[in-house]
Amino acid sequence: MKTENIPYKIYLNEDEMPKAWYNLRADMKNKPAPLLNPATHKPMTAEELAPVFCDDLVAQELDDKTAYFPIPEEIFNFYKMFRPSPLVRAYCLEEKLKTPAKIYYKFEGNNTSGSHKLNSAIAQAYYAKKQGLKGVTTETGAGQWGTALSMACSYFGLDCKVYMVKVSYEQKPFRREVMRTYGANVTPSPSETTNIGKKILAEHPGTTGSLGCAISEAVEVATTTPGYRYVLGSVLNQVLLHQSIIGLETEAALKKYNIKPDIIIGCAGGGSNLGGLIAPFMRDKIKGLADYRIIAVEPASCPSLTRGTYAYDFCDTGMVCPLAKMYTLGSGYIPAPNHAGGLRYHGMSSTLSQLYDDKLMEAVSVPQTEVFAAAEQFARVEGILPAPESSHAIKVAIDEAIKCRETGEEKTIVFGLTGTGYFDMVAYEKFHDGKMDDYIPSDEELQKSFATLPKID
Ligand SMILES: *Cc1c(COP(=O)(O)O)cnc(C)c1O
């Protein structure tokens, strides 16, 4: 086996960890479009956002000028418990694929939440505590974000109310119990505890819920309960900012061994891990200092970048949140019930949407059976059981490595391995039993969904 002089795992020392987050928007020539007030269609002001988000997070959300935000010491100390995360050279996968490509993955699954989401959860909880709040509310789908936030809230002694999509609440009891272990209050959504939940239940009795609906409930509770604010685990600029720690560490680890990537790949749900991973690389690409192929990978059953439309849309089903300009499938879009691999949000971070529209980034969509096949192939040689979400990136990394085998090119591929899949075994079971299929929405279905987009002039 080729091993070169690069270790299997490149770790940074604590003193080599990034001390500031990087805000890519500061260096973008075309800035992402601002959030709009859903009633007036005017850009949201800090005053309008203040009842929803913590003050410091509002400032981060609206700031497209400041490039670096120092990481507060309390957050940095928490990071040190599970960071830096390793950048792993996939020697075994390369050998298995017989590819001349060099493959690296940044592994974010080494913490109890099992994913990169803790990077932003701890930051958001910190700012809530700093403001003297009592607690925060949020939504969670399969539960990764809710778990990360519960951990962060228990660390800072904050109350945490989680609205969990009902189908997951019922079918995924393990993550729910992890959240309760960390002291969170978990409610299946839609619920009778909010006006919007009651309305949705009246209109769609028996609904199993959606992320967009859980967001509406969590926002309603935050804005009507004194001492509470709402927090979100993806999509927002502030979340991409916190997740830049992934890319900055990757950049530092690569520099240590003088490695220059050719292709950078990440899975994209709301866009936070990808936005974080690519941040410093995209900075250099925008400044003309380097050139990389950057690839977003999404599920064929929820293809917001590859088949969505670039327009202002609601971030939630209840249409109470600000409007964001993004690649979207329409806020009412719900992926087919057999879709097992996460990444089911109808839209995409406005930053990534703008970069994609500017052709600085590519996107591909992949069917879920191919994603699970790639996951299994990876698990069997690299020893890590990947999350289905992360496996979207694995699938395309393998495809690119196979292309290198065919052309003989020794490309360097870096991808984000966002988390572990221990709580996704029902999905793996479906795959193993041949009960998983690849439902892909028709153009007609998507057109119907686009018709519900708000009209903005
Ligand atoms: C939530 C999650 C994702 C997708 O979210 P992004 O905001 O697009 O990064 C990907 N992988 C894992 C393991 C997750 O938990």
Side-chain angles (χ1 to χ4, degrees), residues 18 34 41 68 116 135 155 204 210 228 245 293 321 324 346 372 376 379 381 393-394 419:
H41 294 180
Y68 290 91
H116 64 285
Y155 183 74
H204 308 277
S210 70
Y228 281 76
I245 187 88
R293 273 185 72 202
C321 292
H346 65 272
F372 279 83
E376 204 171 74
V381 289
I394 296 177

Side-chain angles (χ1 to χ4, degrees), residues 113-117 143-145 175 233-235 239-240 243 267-275 341-343 348 352 387-391 417-420 424:
S113 84
S115 81
H116 64 285
K117 293 201 172 69
Q144 291 101 317
W145 168 244
R175 277 228 182 75
S234 184
V235 187
V239 185
L240 269 72
Q243 295 297 356
C267 63
S272 74
N273 87 83
L274 180 66
L343 310 176
M348 184 58 62
L352 292 187
E389 292 90 341
S390 324
S391 306
L417 188 69
T418 50
T420 47
D424 301 288

